[in-house]
DNA sequence: TAACTATGTGATTATATACTCATATAGCAA
DNA sequence: TTGCTATATGAGTATATAATCACATAGTTA
């Protein structure tokens, strides 16, 4: 049976905890929030790939892509393994991809609203 | 019956379109990627709120919160209405909240891995 | 061993973002 | 009208982020 830590002031601790969670969540979001990194995730949703192919797909310099990849790894969304000279990256947090459907929904809604506005003018 | 637009070079157009979509998706992610904005979304998931209460909850200056709110509105995640002196903000893209569950899952997994590592040392 | 390839990283520069303070605007109340 | 409150915004500063280039490293092949 687990022993609960005694809290001298539960409310303050909970509040502080809330802040930390927001910061961590924002960190992950920030890690995803770049066109090249979104492209990488989209490319990897169908299977693992090496840096050179990812760079081709993302139409960006390898050194730059390498940095973007390390950002995604350190936030826990991707993982990698070595295979000879190559480093193969793959999706670790697959649920991330569901989110893109949601975001695409937002974008479609926005586009619809703009279309309506356009017709009304 | 809808008339399809003729494309002189389908591949290039599709590729260009892909890029635009990645940029738009990244834009929405960037709009979400800040601790104060995450706090705002968490606060609004249970119902609409005015700026002053949001500022209290997010523990941040009103002028600052106002700016964060306008970022969330312009990316289509929030909407607002006036009520006397107050401006009331509410969640527009509710699906965004599902994503936070996914992110929380990632964080838990990371925490578990760290705990395992710690025990192994 | 040397030469080659794939990847990662340090340093620099350019750009974007966030916060603060002062001020502006809108609506309410006296 | 004046004074008050809630919200928004401009300007300045500080900080964070991204891209590029040069170079370093690791593994392969001859």
């Amino acid at each position: 049976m687990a022993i609960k830590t005694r809290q001298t002031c539960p409310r303050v601790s909970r509040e502080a905890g809330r802040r930390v969670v927001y910061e961590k969540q924002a960190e992950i979001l920030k890690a995803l929030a770049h066109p090249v990194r979104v492209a990488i995730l989209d490319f990897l949703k169908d299977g693992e790939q090496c840096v050179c192919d990812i760079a081709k797909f993302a139409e960006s310099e390898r050194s730059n892509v390498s940095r973007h990849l390390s950002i995604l790894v350190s936030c826990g969304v991707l993982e990698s393994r070595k295979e000879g000279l190559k480093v193969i990256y793959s999706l670790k947090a697959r649920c991330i991809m569901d989110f893109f459907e949601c975001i695409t929904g937002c974008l479609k809604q926005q586009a619809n609203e703009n279309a309506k506005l356009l017709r009304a003018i």
Side-chain angles (χ1 to χ4, degrees), chain A:
Chain A
M1 184 188 154
I3 296 163
K4 276 192 190 161
T5 319
R6 195 169 72 99
Q7 294 187 332
T8 30
C9 182
R11 197 187 161 277
V12 169
S13 309
R14 212 184 307 129
E15 295 300 292
R18 195 162 57 72
R19 267 196 122 148
V20 172
V21 171
Y22 294 150
E23 268 160 30
K24 283 281 168 193
Q25 288 177 327
E27 229 168 79
I28 294 184
L29 285 163
K30 205 157 53 177
L32 304 177
H34 189 284
V36 169
R37 298 200 286 271
V38 173
I40 291 171
L41 293 171
D42 188 44
F43 189 45
L44 293 181
K45 75 174 191 293
D46 302 320
E48 56 179 27
Q49 299 283 351
C50 67
V51 179
C52 55
D53 288 340
I54 295 170
K56 268 180 227 149
F57 182 84
E59 299 169 49
S60 183
E61 289 279 328
R62 284 185 194 189
S63 66
N64 197 25
V65 167
S66 181
R67 244 183 264 272
H68 284 302
L69 285 165
S70 79
I71 290 169
L72 289 168
V73 168
S74 64
C75 90
V77 174
L78 296 188
E79 56 192 347
S80 67
R81 63 184 179 82
K82 289 212 76 172
E83 192 177 289
L85 265 178
K86 296 187 174 178
V87 178
I88 314 286
Y89 286 86
S90 60
L91 218 54
K92 190 179 178 188
R94 187 146 272 282
C95 61
I96 294 284
M97 298 318 297
D98 300 338
F99 182 53
F100 283 98
E101 281 179 37
C102 159
I103 284 189
T104 306
C106 293
L107 288 173
K108 277 184 189 162
Q109 195 182 344
Q110 278 177 45
N112 271 330
E113 280 168 21
N114 287 338
K116 263 186 209 166
L117 186 65
L118 198 62
R119 279 197 300 274
I121 288 169

